[in-house]
Amino acid sequence: RLKELEVPRLGHSDVHIKMLAAPINPADINMIQGTYAILAPLPAVAGNEGVGRVLEVGPGVTALRPGDWVIPADAGLGTWRTQAVFPEASLLQVPSDIPLLCAATLSVNPCTAYRMLADFESLAPGDSIIQNAANSGVGQAVIQIAKATGIRTINVVRDRPDLPKLVERLKALGADHVITEDMLRKPEMKEVFKSIPKPRLALNCVGGKSTTEMLRHLQPKGTMVTYGGMAKQPVTVPVSAFIFRDVRLRGFWMTQWKKDHAHDKESLSSMMDSLCQLVRRGQLGAPACTTVPLEDFKEALVASTQPFTSSKQVLLL
């Protein structure tokens, strides 16, 4: 529910911010449902991501000043609010010359896409990757970052009534091939691989049959990274894929990566700089978004849980 709270007093190393925009991500819904790997102590403000503008800083704050834009350094900050006082260490500065919706959606999906493309296989221009849930926020970021670095993408989506429109939108982002889950099992896949090498990296956000079929097209010694489970079904791998093709199965969670690199600020700021440069060059945009005033948050929550959602709900604060 929407509730009026008093803004806490500014501490020595605190930052008072006016939140500007915050998206609704699947992980936010899972946290509210109590099914996510991290749970906020109750009562809690929801929202793991968003962008705010600094209004005032405590005397011990060194890196931020009024007017700066900031995003959460980690999950669980509680961004669905109009104002907040946070410790400086829990915030990252981002340039205020990038579009608002890019800044609001920067710290989860693009970071996940960036790390999965960089950390599991040494990909070079001309290589290919395959991913399911290609129209998700991460999927759209993967397409754009891969395009900017010369990596080709095979993008798997569920069949739907407006499929041609979705295919057109993903190709406009830079997708090389957009196929349905059914096509993964069909002989036409051979046509795809006449113009593109078999992928060494598969990105899985679905689970179940979609994953098993996607895995069949992976190169020997290739890697499949699972970062979501939208089908709520296990990842099933044929024994032959392990024995005869030596495929690797890995998992990725951006929150864990940030914990593992908590003392390595350089790797985090380097990634953010790279992403902001892509945004500035017009090579990385925000996912398709629908902006909603905070008072209409209930409608936004309902919309974000509908099947075949291709637009991210973003609360304007």
Side-chain angles (χ1 to χ4, degrees), residues 166-240:
L166 177 61
V167 171
E168 190 183 322
R169 190 155 64 80
L170 295 183
K171 288 204 165 179
L173 290 179
D176 292 280
H177 295 274
V178 183
I179 60 174
T180 62
E181 289 182 340
D182 291 343
M183 195 180 154
L184 281 170
R185 293 187 281 281
K186 292 189 175 162
E188 291 96 293
M189 282 303 289
K190 287 180 183 159
E191 292 301 311
V192 170
F193 295 119
K194 282 180 181 173
S195 63
I196 198 168
K198 284 221 165 190
R200 284 194 291 122
L201 180 66
L203 305 178
N204 167 46
C205 182
V206 178
K209 194 185 282 187
S210 161
T211 308
T212 312
E213 295 297 339
M214 191 167 68
L215 198 64
R216 294 187 344 175
H217 301 293
L218 202 58
Q219 275 190 35
K221 296 188 184 295
T223 304
M224 185 173 78
V225 182
T226 292
Y227 68 97
M230 286 161 50
K232 295 186 169 61
Q233 291 168 353
V235 170
T236 307
V237 183
V239 170
S240 59

